[in-house]
Structure formats: structure tokens, C-alpha cells
Amino acid sequence: MKNIVVLVSGGGTNLQRIIDCIENGEIPNARISLVIADRECFGLVRARNHNIAAQLIPRGKSFSAELKNALPEHTDLIVLAGFLSILNKEFCESFNGKIINIHPALLPKYGGKGMWGHHVHEAVLAANEKQSGATVHYVNAEIDEGQIILQKSFEIAPNETLESLAKKIHEVEFEIFPRAINKVLGIPL
Ligand code: GAR
């Protein structure tokens, strides 16, 4: 049984997808041992609704150190699912290859500091991109620059709005996130 810790900052629909995939067997032989949020958010409620341990560590300078202390001893994978704090270099290096993140764009485009959530969608639409998508990648000390695990793209419609783009991104995320988790955990796709 693999033990996954999920980090969230917001609504947690990706967390919900992971919970559902574990419950329906799409992600086999895994459990979420802990959900950690860096602020009060609905992701914490989702965890508690499924009797998953949930903890708030307020964002700030000591977040990475407190996270390290809070991690269960046997943690196979740390999954950033709409998580907005930056983990420090020391943390990233000590869990190298064990942290993955989902990003709402086709990295390496539209990544880096300040590029999260609607800021990404706004930038993509402002640049008249023909395509967008989502990326799951390993986390290293450089923001959004770790090795790509899975990526999926789609065409942007001529009348695309912020809302319709965000919805399409979430749909792609729900498809590739469980597959990427299985891939990293060594479960055949
Ligand atoms: C997701 O679209 C995720 O890709 C994005 O935040 C959203 C969280 O949604 N993450 C980032 O922008 C990280 N840079 P959710 O809370 O409903 O899963």
C-alpha cells in the first residue's frame, strides 16, 4: 500500500478526483495518509468528509520545516493539488523524485512565480494561444521547472472565455492526474 500526502490551498476538486480514484480502484493500492492545507480552504473539508486526516499549516516562512515535521514516517509521494505556497530548496532536495505538481498550462510555457490559477488562463487568452492544457511534473527547487511526467493539450475555441477555459483545464487535469500518480507509483497505465 502506497501512502500519499496531498497538499492543497483551494477548492480541492483535484483532491476530490484523487480520493474518488482511490475509492473506485483507478488508483490501486494507495491511500491518502494526510491532507495538508496552507490556509483554510474547502480542500480540508473534502478530506474530513472522507475521514482522511487533515491538517492546517499556515503559509509563511517556516511552512516547509513544519511540513517536514508533519509528514507521516512512511510517505511514498507528496502530491501538490492546487497548492500555492513555494516549498523551499532544502525540502525539495530532501524529497527529490517524491513530489509532483499539477499545473494548469502546457509547461514550460506559462509557469513560474505568480503563474497560478486564473492568472495562467488570463495570460494564455491574452496571448491568443491556439492551445492550452495541463501538465503534471516533478517538483524541484525551481518553480514549475521539474521534469514533465504527463501533459495533455486541447484547442482553444475562438470564443473561449476565462470560465470555459478553466473548465476545460480541470477536465484535462482530472484525466491526467490519476494516470500520472499511477505512473510515478509504478502502477501500469
Ligand atoms: C488547478 O487548476 C491547478 O492546476 C492549479 O490550481 C487549480 C486548483 O484547483 N494549480 C496551480 O495553478 C499551481 N501553480 P482545485 O483546487 O479545484 O484542484
Side-chain angles (χ1 to χ4, degrees):
M1 183 67 72
K2 301 286 188 183
N3 287 300
I4 301 173
V5 172
V6 182
L7 273 50
V8 293
S9 298
T13 62
N14 278 288
L15 166 65
Q16 188 66 54
R17 174 76 177 135
I18 297 166
I19 293 172
D20 293 346
C21 285
I22 288 174
E23 288 183 356
N24 71 19
E26 281 181 67
I27 300 175
N29 301 319
R31 61 190 282 269
I32 298 176
S33 53
L34 180 63
V35 169
I36 292 177
D38 65 349
R39 66 201 75 191
E40 285 294 351
C41 63
F42 195 65
L44 282 174
V45 177
R46 289 182 193 272
R48 292 183 183 127
N49 283 345
H50 288 262
N51 293 319
I52 297 168
Q55 188 177 338
L56 173 68
I57 300 176
R59 61 186 189 265
K61 266 199 154 174
S62 59
F63 182 87
S64 295
E66 288 182 49
L67 172 63
K68 200 167 182 176
N69 288 331
L71 284 181
E73 193 183 342
H74 297 290
T75 297
D76 297 291
L77 186 64
I78 300 167
V79 174
L80 278 52
F83 181 69
L84 299 180
S85 287
I86 305 300
L87 299 171
N88 71 20
K89 190 167 184 279
E90 189 205 331
F91 187 92
C92 292
E93 285 175 358
S94 53
F95 292 93
N96 184 31
K98 282 190 159 194
I99 317 171
I100 66 172
N101 176 51
I102 191 149
H103 187 80
L106 296 172
L107 292 175
K109 283 180 129 180
Y110 303 102
K113 202 169 177 348
M115 275 294 167
W116 56 269
H118 64 95
H119 299 291
V120 176
H121 312 325
E122 280 162 10
V124 166
L125 288 179
N128 280 317
E129 291 284 354
K130 297 284 170 279
Q131 289 196 322
S132 192
T135 307
V136 182
H137 64 96
Y138 284 105
V139 171
N140 63 19
E142 311 307 321
I143 301 171
D144 297 328
E145 288 186 14
Q147 188 196 331
I148 292 174
I149 300 159
L150 272 184
Q151 190 167 59
K152 185 168 176 174
S153 63
F154 57 81
E155 300 297 314
I156 295 179
N159 59 349
E160 205 78 71
T161 63
L162 209 53
E163 292 71 29
S164 66
L165 181 59
K167 187 166 181 287
K168 283 184 184 174
I169 298 272
H170 264 125
E171 280 163 13
V172 169
E173 291 184 334
F174 299 159
E175 186 187 329
I176 66 170
F177 215 1
R179 291 176 55 216
I181 290 169
N182 283 342
K183 191 173 178 184
V184 167
L185 291 178
I187 296 161
L189 293 182

